[in-house]
Amino acid sequence: MTVAEQWKPEAGQQVYERRSGAAVEIMEIRKFGLYVRPLRGGVERVVQRADLIPPDDAPGGFFDWQASRG
């Protein structure tokens, strides 16, 4: 099981989109996907969990910090 599989998205969390790298906020979680809103303005849309980078894997997140210590 990878870290991404263990990550449970929560409403209000700020994460990054995998494709564009844009910062988004999770607005709502549904069975069919997650409603996200870009932090720099834009249209709210539905994405899948796999389309998002977990907070700890994001640049400057915990795993980035841990790798820099090694």
Side-chain angles (χ1 to χ4, degrees):
M1 185 179 292
T2 67
V3 173
E5 291 171 354
Q6 295 173 358
W7 173 58
K8 300 284 188 222
E10 297 177 15
Q13 246 180 350
Q14 293 181 4
V15 296
Y16 293 87
E17 285 188 291
R18 198 170 294 282
R19 247 182 300 171
S20 67
V24 296
E25 181 178 355
I26 299 173
M27 304 304 295
E28 191 174 347
I29 300 167
R30 297 291 185 146
K31 282 184 185 179
F32 54 85
L34 303 139
Y35 285 98
V36 297
R37 180 180 65 204
L39 295 183
R40 293 191 167 203
V43 178
E44 190 173 300
R45 62 190 173 282
V46 177
V47 298
Q48 299 301 312
R49 188 173 90 168
D51 296 332
L52 301 175
I53 300 171
D56 289 340
D57 289 348
F62 176 76
F63 294 112
D64 187 36
W65 170 81
Q66 191 175 29
S68 71
R69 293 179 50 108

